[in-house]
Amino acid sequence: MNPSTVAVTGLTVRHRRTVALDRLDLSLGPGVHGLLGPNGAGKTSLVRVLATVAAPFSGRVELLGGDATSHRERTDIRRRLGYLPQEFGYYPGFTVREFVAYVAWLKEMPSDRVPAAVERAVRRVGLGDRIDARMKTLSGGMVRRAGIAQAVVNEPELLLLDEPTAGLDPEQRVDFRSLLRELGTSATVVVSTHLVEDVAAACTEVALIEGGRLAFQGTTAELTALGGASTEGNDSTTHAVERGYTAALRAHRTSAESARGALR
Protein backbone atom coordinates (compact mmCIF):
# COMPACT_ATOMS: atom_id res chain seq x y z
CA MET A 1 0.00 0.00 0.00
CA ASN A 2 1.14 3.54 -0.73
CA PRO A 3 2.22 4.99 2.66
CA SER A 4 0.25 8.15 1.94
CA THR A 5 -3.03 6.31 1.32
CA VAL A 6 -6.23 6.64 3.33
CA ALA A 7 -8.62 3.70 2.94
CA VAL A 8 -11.87 3.28 4.84
CA THR A 9 -14.19 0.35 4.21
CA GLY A 10 -17.73 0.01 5.51
CA LEU A 11 -17.15 2.87 7.96
CA THR A 12 -20.08 3.49 10.27
CA VAL A 13 -20.08 6.17 12.97
CA ARG A 14 -22.93 6.64 15.42
CA HIS A 15 -23.68 9.46 17.82
CA ARG A 16 -26.15 7.87 20.20
CA ARG A 17 -29.12 7.06 17.93
CA THR A 18 -27.90 9.14 15.02
CA VAL A 19 -25.91 7.53 12.22
CA ALA A 20 -23.29 10.09 11.13
CA LEU A 21 -21.53 7.83 8.60
CA ASP A 22 -23.31 4.89 7.03
CA ARG A 23 -21.05 2.11 5.67
CA LEU A 24 -18.82 4.61 3.92
CA ASP A 25 -16.13 3.42 1.51
CA LEU A 26 -13.43 5.95 0.60
CA SER A 27 -9.87 5.79 -0.70
CA LEU A 28 -7.52 8.79 -0.94
CA GLY A 29 -4.00 9.11 -2.29
CA PRO A 30 -1.45 11.94 -2.41
CA GLY A 31 -2.74 15.37 -3.37
CA VAL A 32 -5.22 17.88 -2.00
CA HIS A 33 -8.71 16.49 -1.46
CA GLY A 34 -11.70 18.69 -0.79
CA LEU A 35 -14.34 17.17 1.47
CA LEU A 36 -17.69 18.77 0.72
CA GLY A 37 -21.24 18.23 1.89
CA PRO A 38 -24.21 19.94 3.54
CA ASN A 39 -24.22 20.68 7.25
CA GLY A 40 -24.68 17.42 9.15
CA ALA A 41 -23.51 15.29 6.23
CA GLY A 42 -20.80 13.58 8.32
CA LYS A 43 -17.68 15.50 7.23
CA THR A 44 -16.42 16.30 10.73
CA SER A 45 -17.19 12.76 11.92
CA LEU A 46 -15.04 11.39 9.10
CA VAL A 47 -12.17 13.78 9.79
CA ARG A 48 -12.21 12.91 13.50
CA VAL A 49 -11.98 9.21 12.71
CA LEU A 50 -9.13 9.81 10.26
CA ALA A 51 -7.37 11.88 12.94
CA THR A 52 -7.72 8.90 15.33
CA VAL A 53 -9.51 11.03 17.93
CA ALA A 54 -12.83 9.21 17.45
CA ALA A 55 -13.49 5.50 17.10
CA PRO A 56 -15.82 4.05 14.47
CA PHE A 57 -18.85 1.96 15.37
CA SER A 58 -17.81 -0.51 12.70
CA GLY A 59 -15.69 -0.76 9.56
CA ARG A 60 -11.99 -0.77 8.74
CA VAL A 61 -9.74 2.30 8.75
CA GLU A 62 -6.25 2.11 7.22
CA LEU A 63 -4.01 5.16 7.44
CA LEU A 64 -0.46 5.49 6.14
CA GLY A 65 -0.24 1.74 5.67
CA GLY A 66 -1.36 0.96 9.23
CA ASP A 67 -4.50 -0.21 10.97
CA ALA A 68 -5.91 2.78 12.87
CA THR A 69 -7.84 0.49 15.23
CA SER A 70 -4.60 -1.09 16.49
CA HIS A 71 -3.18 0.76 19.50
CA ARG A 72 0.43 0.09 18.49
CA GLU A 73 -0.07 1.17 14.90
CA ARG A 74 -2.24 4.13 15.88
CA THR A 75 0.61 5.58 17.96
CA ASP A 76 2.91 5.51 14.93
CA ILE A 77 0.18 6.99 12.70
CA ARG A 78 -0.28 9.94 15.05
CA ARG A 79 3.40 10.86 14.76
CA ARG A 80 2.98 11.11 10.99
CA LEU A 81 -0.23 13.08 10.66
CA GLY A 82 -1.31 16.66 11.27
CA TYR A 83 -4.77 17.70 12.40
CA LEU A 84 -6.59 21.00 12.73
CA PRO A 85 -10.09 20.63 14.21
CA GLN A 86 -12.76 23.30 13.91
CA GLU A 87 -12.01 24.32 17.50
CA PHE A 88 -8.77 23.56 19.29
CA GLY A 89 -7.49 24.21 22.78
CA TYR A 90 -4.32 26.02 23.81
CA TYR A 91 -2.79 27.65 26.85
CA PRO A 92 -3.44 31.40 26.48
CA GLY A 93 -0.15 32.22 28.21
CA PHE A 94 1.90 30.24 25.69
CA THR A 95 3.66 32.15 22.95
CA VAL A 96 3.08 30.99 19.38
CA ARG A 97 6.55 29.42 19.47
CA GLU A 98 5.76 27.55 22.70
CA PHE A 99 2.38 26.36 21.45
CA VAL A 100 3.72 24.92 18.20
CA ALA A 101 6.76 23.44 19.99
CA TYR A 102 4.44 21.78 22.52
CA VAL A 103 2.54 20.06 19.70
CA ALA A 104 5.85 18.98 18.15
CA TRP A 105 6.76 17.43 21.53
CA LEU A 106 3.41 15.61 21.65
CA LYS A 107 4.23 14.17 18.22
CA GLU A 108 7.55 12.96 19.64
CA MET A 109 9.65 14.88 17.14
CA PRO A 110 13.42 14.67 17.84
CA SER A 111 14.26 17.56 20.14
CA ASP A 112 17.13 18.79 17.97
CA ARG A 113 14.72 19.25 15.03
CA VAL A 114 12.00 21.10 16.90
CA PRO A 115 13.30 24.72 16.99
CA ALA A 116 13.89 24.92 13.24
CA ALA A 117 10.66 23.05 12.47
CA VAL A 118 8.67 25.45 14.64
CA GLU A 119 10.13 28.54 12.98
CA ARG A 120 9.52 27.10 9.53
CA ALA A 121 5.89 26.20 10.31
CA VAL A 122 5.16 29.62 11.79
CA ARG A 123 6.72 31.41 8.82
CA ARG A 124 4.68 29.31 6.40
CA VAL A 125 1.44 30.66 7.88
CA GLY A 126 2.64 34.26 7.93
CA LEU A 127 3.14 34.62 11.68
CA GLY A 128 6.92 34.95 11.71
CA ASP A 129 6.73 38.44 13.21
CA ARG A 130 4.41 37.21 15.99
CA ILE A 131 6.23 34.02 16.92
CA ASP A 132 6.98 35.28 20.44
CA ALA A 133 3.57 36.89 20.98
CA ARG A 134 1.31 35.21 23.53
CA MET A 135 -1.64 33.30 22.10
CA LYS A 136 -4.11 35.37 24.13
CA THR A 137 -3.00 38.54 22.33
CA LEU A 138 -3.73 37.19 18.83
CA SER A 139 -6.77 37.96 16.72
CA GLY A 140 -9.11 35.12 15.75
CA GLY A 141 -7.52 34.83 12.32
CA MET A 142 -4.03 34.70 13.81
CA VAL A 143 -5.08 31.97 16.24
CA ARG A 144 -6.40 30.00 13.27
CA ARG A 145 -3.06 30.42 11.49
CA ALA A 146 -1.24 29.24 14.61
CA GLY A 147 -3.50 26.20 14.50
CA ILE A 148 -2.44 25.51 10.93
CA ALA A 149 1.21 25.89 11.98
CA GLN A 150 0.89 23.22 14.65
CA ALA A 151 -0.76 20.91 12.12
CA VAL A 152 2.16 21.13 9.68
CA VAL A 153 5.09 21.38 12.12
CA ASN A 154 6.01 17.70 11.71
CA GLU A 155 5.79 17.78 7.87
CA PRO A 156 2.90 15.30 8.02
CA GLU A 157 2.30 12.61 5.43
CA LEU A 158 -1.42 12.94 6.15
CA LEU A 159 -2.83 16.39 6.89
CA LEU A 160 -6.45 16.78 8.05
CA LEU A 161 -7.99 20.25 8.16
CA ASP A 162 -11.54 20.94 9.31
CA GLU A 163 -12.82 24.35 8.12
CA PRO A 164 -9.25 25.73 8.05
CA THR A 165 -10.05 29.11 6.48
CA ALA A 166 -12.64 30.14 9.08
CA GLY A 167 -11.61 33.58 10.34
CA LEU A 168 -9.01 34.20 7.63
CA ASP A 169 -9.26 37.33 5.51
CA PRO A 170 -9.23 37.07 1.67
CA GLU A 171 -5.48 37.68 1.35
CA GLN A 172 -4.71 35.07 4.00
CA ARG A 173 -6.99 32.57 2.27
CA VAL A 174 -5.12 33.05 -1.00
CA ASP A 175 -1.81 32.40 0.78
CA PHE A 176 -3.29 29.38 2.53
CA ARG A 177 -4.45 27.86 -0.75
CA SER A 178 -0.92 28.24 -2.11
CA LEU A 179 0.39 26.42 0.98
CA LEU A 180 -2.13 23.62 0.42
CA ARG A 181 -0.97 23.11 -3.15
CA GLU A 182 2.65 22.99 -1.96
CA LEU A 183 1.85 20.44 0.76
CA GLY A 184 -0.17 18.31 -1.64
CA THR A 185 2.89 17.57 -3.78
CA SER A 186 4.27 15.25 -1.11
CA ALA A 187 1.39 14.41 1.22
CA THR A 188 -2.27 13.46 1.37
CA VAL A 189 -4.19 16.57 2.40
CA VAL A 190 -7.89 16.45 3.32
CA VAL A 191 -9.72 19.77 3.61
CA SER A 192 -13.23 19.66 5.03
CA THR A 193 -15.00 22.88 4.12
CA HIS A 194 -18.29 24.42 3.06
CA LEU A 195 -16.46 27.04 0.96
CA VAL A 196 -16.58 25.81 -2.62
CA GLU A 197 -14.15 28.53 -3.71
CA ASP A 198 -11.42 26.96 -1.55
CA VAL A 199 -11.97 23.62 -3.28
CA ALA A 200 -12.02 25.21 -6.73
CA ALA A 201 -8.74 27.05 -6.05
CA ALA A 202 -6.67 24.47 -4.20
CA CYS A 203 -8.00 20.92 -4.52
CA THR A 204 -7.22 18.34 -7.17
CA GLU A 205 -9.80 15.83 -5.98
CA VAL A 206 -13.23 16.15 -4.38
CA ALA A 207 -15.25 13.81 -2.18
CA LEU A 208 -18.86 14.78 -1.57
CA ILE A 209 -20.72 13.31 1.40
CA GLU A 210 -24.49 13.38 1.80
CA GLY A 211 -26.34 11.69 4.66
CA GLY A 212 -23.25 9.79 5.74
CA ARG A 213 -22.75 8.24 2.30
CA LEU A 214 -20.35 9.02 -0.52
CA ALA A 215 -22.31 10.99 -3.13
CA PHE A 216 -19.41 11.77 -5.48
CA GLN A 217 -15.67 11.30 -5.76
CA GLY A 218 -13.53 12.56 -8.60
CA THR A 219 -11.48 15.47 -9.85
CA THR A 220 -12.59 19.07 -9.58
CA ALA A 221 -12.99 19.07 -13.36
CA GLU A 222 -15.27 16.03 -13.22
CA LEU A 223 -17.42 17.67 -10.56
CA THR A 224 -17.60 20.83 -12.64
CA ALA A 225 -18.70 18.84 -15.68
CA LEU A 226 -21.72 17.52 -13.80
CA GLY A 227 -23.10 21.06 -13.72
CA GLY A 228 -23.23 21.29 -17.50
CA ALA A 229 -22.44 24.31 -19.63
CA SER A 230 -23.22 27.76 -18.27
CA THR A 231 -25.33 30.33 -20.06
CA GLU A 232 -23.50 33.14 -18.27
CA GLY A 233 -20.78 34.82 -20.29
CA ASN A 234 -18.57 35.57 -17.29
CA ASP A 235 -19.13 32.40 -15.31
CA SER A 236 -16.32 31.81 -12.80
CA THR A 237 -14.63 28.55 -11.87
CA THR A 238 -16.21 28.78 -8.42
CA HIS A 239 -19.72 29.08 -9.86
CA ALA A 240 -19.04 26.14 -12.17
CA VAL A 241 -17.98 23.94 -9.25
CA GLU A 242 -21.04 25.08 -7.27
CA ARG A 243 -23.30 23.95 -10.11
CA GLY A 244 -21.54 20.60 -10.23
CA TYR A 245 -21.84 20.27 -6.45
CA THR A 246 -25.58 20.91 -6.63
CA ALA A 247 -26.02 18.49 -9.54
CA ALA A 248 -24.10 15.73 -7.71
CA LEU A 249 -26.19 16.18 -4.56
CA ARG A 250 -29.46 16.07 -6.47
CA ALA A 251 -28.40 13.00 -8.42
CA HIS A 252 -27.42 11.21 -5.21
CA ARG A 253 -30.69 12.11 -3.51
CA THR A 254 -32.69 10.89 -6.50
CA SER A 255 -30.76 7.61 -6.51
CA ALA A 256 -31.23 7.16 -2.75
CA GLU A 257 -34.96 7.85 -3.02
CA SER A 258 -35.31 5.35 -5.88
CA ALA A 259 -33.49 2.72 -3.80
CA ARG A 260 -35.80 3.33 -0.85
CA GLY A 261 -38.83 3.12 -3.13
CA ALA A 262 -37.69 -0.23 -4.50
CA LEU A 263 -37.58 -1.62 -0.97
CA ARG A 264 -41.12 -0.59 -0.11
Side-chain angles (χ1 to χ4, degrees):
M1 174 181 292
N2 188 309
S4 293
T5 292
V6 172
V8 298
T9 307
L11 178 62
T12 297
V13 173
R14 295 178 180 269
H15 302 308
R16 296 182 180 177
R17 296 184 179 180
T18 302
V19 178
L21 294 172
D22 185 12
R23 294 166 292 171
L24 179 73
D25 295 334
L26 182 66
S27 180
L28 305 174
V32 185
H33 302 265
L35 186 60
L36 291 173
N39 290 335
K43 301 188 300 296
T44 292
S45 294
L46 174 59
V47 172
R48 284 175 54 81
V49 169
L50 297 183
T52 73
V53 299
F57 177 79
S58 62
R60 182 169 179 80
V61 181
E62 296 180 2
L63 305 172
L64 302 170
D67 179 0
T69 62
S70 162
H71 176 72
R72 180 180 60 81
E73 294 187 46
R74 187 166 61 242
T75 299
D76 177 63
I77 289 168
R78 286 174 174 168
R79 296 189 188 104
R80 300 162 60 195
L81 64 77
Y83 173 46
L84 175 68
Q86 288 190 39
E87 297 182 5
F88 61 93
Y90 56 87
Y91 294 106
F94 270 14
T95 64
V96 174
R97 186 193 303 273
E98 290 167 340
F99 168 59
V100 178
Y102 175 65
V103 175
W105 174 76
L106 290 176
K107 294 180 182 294
E108 300 181 349
M109 289 182 63
S111 58
D112 60 334
R113 287 178 45 205
V114 170
V118 168
E119 292 199 9
R120 173 173 165 79
V122 174
R123 285 198 310 270
R124 291 175 97 176
V125 300
L127 283 179
D129 60 338
R130 302 301 301 273
I131 192 168
D132 290 314
R134 299 200 181 278
M135 294 290 293
K136 64 183 177 183
T137 69
L138 303 182
S139 67
M142 288 178 179
V143 168
R144 199 67 182 161
R145 284 189 279 162
I148 296 169
Q150 63 80 27
V152 303
V153 67
N154 60 326
E155 299 287 348
E157 298 167 60
L158 171 61
L159 177 60
L160 306 162
L161 305 168
D162 198 353
E163 298 292 352
T165 57
L168 301 187
D169 64 35
E171 181 182 8
Q172 292 163 357
R173 283 169 58 192
V174 168
D175 290 341
F176 172 70
R177 293 167 188 165
S178 177
L179 175 59
L180 281 183
R181 290 190 292 268
E182 175 192 338
L183 293 167
T185 61
S186 59
T188 298
V189 183
V190 181
V191 185
S192 175
T193 181
H194 67 281
L195 297 175
V196 176
E197 57 265 38
D198 286 341
V199 172
C203 299
T204 52
E205 302 277 340
V206 183
L208 173 56
I209 296 179
E210 159 78 343
R213 293 282 189 93
L214 186 65
F216 170 86
Q217 184 177 12
T219 65
T220 307
E222 289 169 341
L223 180 61
T224 300
L226 292 179
S230 172
T231 59
E232 300 178 22
N234 60 348
D235 191 37
S236 69
T237 301
T238 297
H239 290 161
V241 174
E242 286 175 342
R243 289 198 314 276
Y245 167 86
T246 301
L249 276 182
R250 289 174 177 170
H252 176 74
R253 289 166 181 166
T254 298
S255 176
E257 184 60 33
S258 297
R260 285 192 294 268
L263 294 174
R264 293 191 185 115

